[in-house]
Amino acid sequence: MGILNIGVSGLASARANLQTTSHNISNVNTPGYSRQQALQTTNLALGSGAGFIGQGVNVSTVERVYSQFLVNQSLQAQTKSSQLDTNLTQIAQINNLLADSSAGLSPALQNFFGSMQDLANNPASVPSRQSLLSASEALVTRFQVLDENLSASRKGINSQVQANVTEINSLAENIANLNTSITAAEGSAGGQPPNDLLDQRDALVSELGKLVNTSFVRQSNGSYNIFIGNGQPLVVGAETMTLKAVTSPDDPLEVTIGFVAGNNTIIIPEEHLQSGGSLGGLLAYRNETLDSVQNALGRIAIGLAQTLNDQHRLGQDLNGDLGGDLFNVPSPRVISATNNASTSSITMDISDVTALTTSDYSFAYDGTNYSLTRLSDNTSVTTAVLPSGVAPLTLDGVRVTGAVINANESFVIQPTRDAAKNISLAISDTAKLAAAAPIETKSSLSNIGSGVISAGTVNPLPIDANLQQPLTITFHSPADGQFDVAGVGVGLPATNQVYTEGADISFNGLTVQISGSPGAGDVFTIGPNSNGNSDPRNALLMAGLQTQNILVGGTATYQSTYAQLVSQVGNQTRELIVTGEAQANLLAQTNESLQSLSGVNLDEEAANLIRYQQAFQASGKVIEMSSTLFDTLLNIG
């Protein structure tokens, strides 16, 4: 009977191994399947006077060939790779848009200033004026089209975030259900692992890792607790925490993520979710690239519109009137926090477009002090007397002059976000283009000296009310080197002014220079421009803005600022390509290591089939032999 039992145990063991091997072969192409193996142990030996005699074999369990370390490594490599791939997919679209030689901003800027130069060459030409208006409209349209593409990208991000949140919730629910099934299966099987259910759960965790940075902790009952981001719980045993895509409290045009807690939704800081998965890639792209690109494009739009307006208003049009605005300058976007009172508000403007950055700003009141903060690096300025208007807060050209605000309320200020979208042309009449200067200078025909007066320039805004009032400059004898200025305006008449050759002479918001040696009684006059139709002076000054370092704190031109933006996005794209390729290689190596351990090798399994078949047949022979021996004993009896 002992031999028979040994044979039966060998037969059962061989059968278990054959079944396990067959299961491996049939699941060779099943995604997420881990190779299984039957673990054998010897039965307790039977003691006798001749020593311990073996009692056969026992299959203690069927387990997965599995490495927790490699699975964790693969999960982290997968979530990082998904984040980089998603970020690259999004930023590559912007890179192609901005760098396009025909669809980018550079050709429109070049055409605009080329038309401005043509107007300076032909100030009285109606076709030249119409060409400038057409080029201006084309430039405005180019700004708007670029912004429209960026805004479409933002809407696409919102849709993808919502889709990812829905998929994450579905995966979390399935994992929680599997936790329940695994716990029940292990309990009913005396702690034996339900390998196929474990594989299914690991596959779901891997899919979750593609969407969001994921980690898990195995509990004593076999269930997983799943955490996302920086440790926010998503699945705890059989319970799930539901995510929800909601409107961002900082920007009503953006969708962000929160946990549902009863009737409330608790917003998760986006920086906690940016570290992995396609959801992290979407948020990283929006926060680190899209916002700054849209702000940078808006900075160029608002900077160009304001500086050209300032110069255009210093000129004179064909009707003899001072110039107005060439472009409509967009207003900053101000967003009130969701917990603010409906009556709370702030008044603000842009005091210096040349100082603008690509950052957004926060304005807040803590009950004592008002603060204006640059959100890109949290640099702040504060004051305690803002509402009186005595001490406005100014940072990077963003100026808050007043506020109706309660303690612990705040506002987000986006000074340039909508500028490219909302810039527009303010002039449609060619006669309104102020190509001429509003003043002209003359030397008296009776002058006896060699003095020469310059054409004169108009001082920067604001325009002096007496700008076009006639002025007369009369020189004394060369011996005393003085002159008098007669006319209407602040500080006039001015007598006994000391003459310095080439020095500025400024009155009524204009500046001239006189060179040479004026004679006694020599007279120079300054008055309104009576022949402005052929005067290109203001058009030349506007055309000259193309090459002046105006933006980025006076360090860059319009076009170099745009070139910096294109270069920035291009560098980010290249960095993501290189980093993504490296991460993909790491993921491939990790998966290869995992597959070499846990994957099914058909050659190996075929060899196992033969081995276990022979073991099965041998055990059968043992049983057959035990039967023969038993019959022999019966015959002896």
Side-chain angles (χ1 to χ4, degrees):
M1 293 301 294
I3 296 175
L4 176 64
N5 289 336
I6 291 173
V8 169
S9 71
L11 195 68
S13 173
R15 183 185 64 184
N17 278 289
L18 283 170
Q19 287 178 325
T20 302
T21 301
S22 300
H23 188 57
N24 287 340
I25 293 172
S26 63
N27 283 281
V28 64
N29 295 316
T30 301
Y33 178 80
S34 298
R35 178 168 59 91
Q36 298 177 14
Q37 62 182 8
L39 294 185
Q40 298 179 181
T41 58
T42 57
N43 286 330
L44 185 64
L46 180 65
S48 70
F52 288 92
I53 300 175
Q55 298 296 304
V57 68
N58 173 57
V59 176
S60 59
T61 187
V62 177
E63 68 173 8
R64 298 183 295 166
V65 180
Y66 177 83
S67 169
Q68 184 71 64
F69 172 76
L70 286 177
V71 168
N72 283 334
Q73 193 175 41
S74 176
L75 180 61
Q76 294 308 310
Q78 177 65 72
T79 194
K80 187 63 178 178
S81 184
S82 294
Q83 187 238 359
L84 293 172
D85 288 346
T86 301
N87 197 343
L88 175 61
T89 299
Q90 300 299 323
I91 198 174
Q93 299 175 21
I94 292 185
N95 183 49
N96 294 335
L97 174 69
L98 297 179
D100 192 300
S101 59
S102 59
L105 186 64
S106 291
L109 279 171
Q110 189 64 42
N111 187 46
F112 170 78
F113 281 106
S115 296
M116 184 68 75
Q117 188 62 54
D118 182 57
L119 176 63
N121 294 333
N122 305 282
S125 169
V126 173
S128 294
R129 289 173 171 268
Q130 185 57 57
S131 176
L132 176 58
L133 288 183
S134 298
S136 301
E137 188 62 50
L139 178 60
V140 164
T141 301
R142 185 62 53 84
F143 273 117
Q144 293 171 346
V145 168
L146 288 173
D147 185 86
E148 184 179 342
N149 280 276
L150 296 176
S151 296
S153 178
R154 190 177 300 278
K155 292 178 182 178
I157 296 299
N158 290 341
S159 297
Q160 291 181 68
V161 167
Q162 291 172 330
N164 279 358
V165 167
T166 300
E167 190 171 355
I168 289 171
N169 286 334
S170 176
L171 288 171
E173 184 176 352
N174 289 336
I175 291 172
N177 291 336
L178 278 172
N179 276 343
T180 300
S181 299
I182 289 169
T183 301
E186 286 192 0
S188 63
Q192 295 290 357
N195 296 311
D196 295 326
L197 291 179
L198 295 177
D199 280 344
Q200 291 176 34
R201 185 176 62 183
D202 283 346
L204 291 180
V205 172
S206 179
E207 288 300 311
L208 184 63
K210 295 178 181 179
L211 297 174
V212 65
N213 186 26
T214 303
S215 60
F216 63 91
V217 176
R218 190 181 188 279
Q219 303 302 297
S220 58
N221 63 358
S223 66
Y224 278 176
N225 287 350
I226 306 293
F227 303 90
I228 62 173
N230 283 13
Q232 290 79 16
L234 181 67
V235 178
V236 179
E239 301 295 326
T240 61
M241 309 298 173
T242 303
L243 296 182
K244 185 178 181 181
V246 296
T247 300
S248 170
D250 297 326
D251 190 338
L253 299 181
E254 292 184 352
V255 169
T256 190
I257 302 96
F259 273 122
V260 177
N263 295 326
N264 299 318
T265 301
I266 302 172
I267 301 299
I268 304 174
E270 291 188 356
E271 59 268 20
H272 292 179
L273 299 174
Q274 289 182 195
S275 55
S278 59
L279 180 60
L282 293 172
L283 297 178
Y285 160 72
R286 184 172 70 187
N287 295 334
E288 298 172 2
T289 303
L290 181 59
D291 287 350
S292 63
V293 168
Q294 201 161 18
N295 287 351
L297 187 65
R299 176 173 64 173
I300 299 171
I302 201 170
L304 180 139
Q306 188 62 63
T307 51
L308 278 165
N309 281 355
D310 290 347
Q311 186 59 55
H312 191 260
R313 290 169 62 190
L314 300 180
Q316 177 177 300
D317 64 21
L318 287 181
N319 300 321
D321 299 324
L322 291 175
D325 285 342
L326 181 59
F327 297 100
N328 293 314
V329 180
S331 300
R333 185 201 295 181
V334 178
I335 303 169
S336 178
T338 54
N339 64 332
N340 288 1
S342 59
T343 55
S344 296
S345 63
I346 63 173
T347 54
M348 58 82 57
D349 60 14
I350 296 176
S351 61
D352 183 6
V353 295
T354 67
L356 287 174
T357 69
T358 59
S359 178
D360 295 337
Y361 297 80
S362 172
F363 175 79
Y365 179 53
D366 62 8
T368 303
N369 292 311
Y370 301 87
S371 62
L372 181 61
T373 304
R374 185 193 306 130
L375 294 179
S376 60
D377 59 8
N378 291 322
T379 298
S380 294
V381 292
T382 61
T383 183
V385 294
L386 182 71
S388 66
V390 175
L393 278 176
T394 302
L395 180 62
D396 302 331
V398 177
R399 178 173 61 187
V400 180
T401 56
V404 178
I405 187 172
N406 300 314
N408 301 317
E409 291 186 343
S410 64
F411 291 82
V412 171
I413 300 172
Q414 297 175 336
T416 63
R417 179 67 58 85
D418 291 337
K421 177 177 69 176
N422 294 332
I423 186 175
S424 60
L425 194 59
I427 292 178
S428 58
D429 184 355
T430 57
K432 294 290 186 180
L433 288 171
I439 59 172
E440 62 178 352
T441 61
K442 294 180 181 179
S443 301
S444 174
L445 295 177
S446 60
N447 287 354
I448 60 174
S450 60
V452 178
I453 189 170
S454 67
T457 56
V458 180
N459 298 342
L461 297 174
I463 292 177
D464 193 296
N466 297 308
L467 174 66
Q468 294 180 300
Q469 290 291 331
L471 296 177
T472 301
I473 300 174
T474 305
F475 276 83
H476 300 178
S477 66
D480 67 9
Q482 295 180 345
F483 62 89
D484 298 331
V485 182
V488 177
V490 177
L492 294 173
T495 60
N496 302 323
Q497 303 292 302
V498 177
Y499 171 64
T500 300
E501 183 175 2
D504 288 346
I505 302 173
S506 298
F507 290 95
N508 291 353
L510 60 86
T511 299
V512 296
Q513 298 83 32
I514 297 177
S515 59
S517 300
D522 280 0
V523 176
F524 301 90
T525 59
I526 308 168
N529 191 348
S530 59
N531 188 28
N533 290 3
S534 300
D535 181 2
R537 284 179 289 166
N538 200 52
L540 286 171
L541 291 173
M542 287 191 288
L545 293 176
Q546 179 183 15
T547 57
Q548 292 184 21
N549 291 331
I550 294 174
L551 303 181
V552 196
T555 63
T557 65
Y558 308 124
Q559 285 164 302
S560 65
T561 302
Y562 182 72
Q564 290 174 13
L565 172 60
V566 174
S567 176
Q568 171 194 338
V569 175
N571 289 337
Q572 289 179 344
T573 304
R574 180 58 185 165
E575 181 181 349
L576 283 172
I577 290 174
V578 173
T579 307
E581 289 176 349
Q583 189 64 35
N585 290 335
L586 175 62
L587 175 61
Q589 292 171 7
T590 304
N591 286 341
E592 184 178 348
S593 298
L594 185 61
Q595 187 65 22
S596 67
L597 174 70
S598 301
V600 176
N601 185 307
L602 290 178
D603 292 336
E604 180 183 356
E605 299 302 326
N608 286 339
L609 274 179
I610 296 173
R611 182 158 62 98
Y612 296 136
Q613 179 188 12
Q614 292 175 344
F616 188 90
Q617 291 171 341
S619 295
K621 283 292 184 180
V622 171
I623 295 173
E624 181 183 350
M625 181 191 68
S626 68
S627 177
T628 301
L629 292 175
F630 187 70
D631 289 342
T632 301
L633 289 175
L634 290 177
N635 291 333
I636 292 174

